[in-house]
Amino acid sequence: MDSKKIIKAIQEVLPTDPDSWKILGFFNTKQEILSFGNDSKILGRLFEVIIQPYLKQAAQKLGYTLGESSSQTVYPDFWFITPKNRLIAIDIKSTYRKGKNGKIGFTLGGYGSFLRNNTKNIYRTYSDYDLHLIIGFVYTRTSNPTKGVSTVQAMSTIVPPYKNVQLFVQEKYKIGGQKKGVGQYK
């Protein structure tokens, strides 16, 4: 499995315009924009939604099929299916810069579940995957984001809850550490 080729194919389809990663809120049927705050779980899910069409393009470019998890608790978020029916895991992770030096940290997931039991909380089995990739989104929280409801006409004045989005595509083992993240996984 040529990980560099796959990573390059993903990187080549990703937009370079920073505005492509800027989401202002949710639209309702009254054409109002509802802000979503800076909850990291909501932002993480938004990055998953944003990245999906680009992953589809990369899959087509590579001659693969894109699969998507039907549940937030199943690993991975996305996967490529190769012509030989092998899988490439693609997990989307996001975090915000902390402090003056911009230190970051990722929780890479509950390895304990599917590493101890090859079928628990995972699409197919762990041994079906030839490669595990992370697409990581790193952002800065905005100090005064817009809150509440805005009109479409006021769209240009909306301040999203994050800025300075950077992303990377990397093999999971290269960014993994030895200590627990949030402590809710054993």
Side-chain angles (χ1 to χ4, degrees):
M1 179 82 28
D2 187 353
S3 63
K4 289 181 182 176
K5 175 184 163 190
I6 296 165
I7 290 170
K8 184 178 179 188
I10 293 169
Q11 290 171 329
E12 286 176 346
V13 299
L14 296 176
T16 56
D17 177 4
D19 283 343
S20 299
W21 307 110
K22 194 183 295 182
I23 303 297
L24 301 177
F26 302 111
F27 271 90
N28 65 20
T29 57
K30 297 178 185 177
Q31 296 191 8
E32 297 169 322
I33 304 169
L34 306 143
S35 64
F36 48 81
N38 62 7
D39 183 304
S40 58
K41 288 183 181 182
I42 292 173
L43 293 175
R45 180 63 184 130
L46 287 172
F47 289 130
E48 289 175 24
V49 170
I50 296 169
I51 201 80
Q52 192 273 349
Y54 303 110
L55 288 177
K56 188 172 183 179
Q57 288 176 28
Q60 291 170 342
K61 186 175 185 177
L62 291 162
Y64 298 163
T65 303
L66 178 66
E68 186 173 351
S69 179
S70 60
S71 169
Q72 286 291 309
T73 60
V74 173
Y75 176 82
D77 296 316
F78 299 94
W79 55 85
F80 289 154
I81 304 172
T82 70
K84 294 182 179 180
N85 204 29
R86 298 297 298 165
L87 300 176
I88 299 162
I90 304 168
D91 223 20
I92 310 304
K93 298 296 179 185
S94 62
T95 191
Y96 56 92
R97 294 174 186 88
K98 298 171 182 95
K100 292 180 182 179
N101 66 358
K103 187 176 179 179
I104 64 166
F106 285 97
T107 301
L108 296 180
Y111 269 123
S113 62
F114 51 79
L115 284 181
R116 290 183 188 156
N117 176 344
N118 198 27
T119 61
K120 184 179 178 187
N121 295 341
I122 187 168
Y123 175 73
R124 290 193 3 195
T125 65
Y126 194 80
S127 59
D128 288 332
Y129 290 86
D130 291 336
L131 183 63
H132 298 266
L133 299 176
I134 294 290
I135 299 179
F137 288 84
V138 181
Y139 60 91
T140 302
R141 284 183 163 174
T142 305
S143 57
N144 291 308
T146 301
K147 295 180 179 174
V149 179
S150 301
T151 65
V152 173
Q153 294 77 16
M155 188 182 307
S156 64
T157 66
I158 296 174
V159 177
Y162 63 92
K163 62 184 178 182
N164 302 328
V165 176
Q166 292 178 302
L167 67 126
F168 63 88
V169 183
Q170 186 59 267
E171 290 183 71
K172 192 170 194 171
Y173 82 91
K174 291 184 178 181
I175 64 168
Q178 294 289 329
K179 63 182 197 174
K180 286 196 302 186
V182 296
Q184 64 186 8
Y185 302 106
K186 297 184 184 215

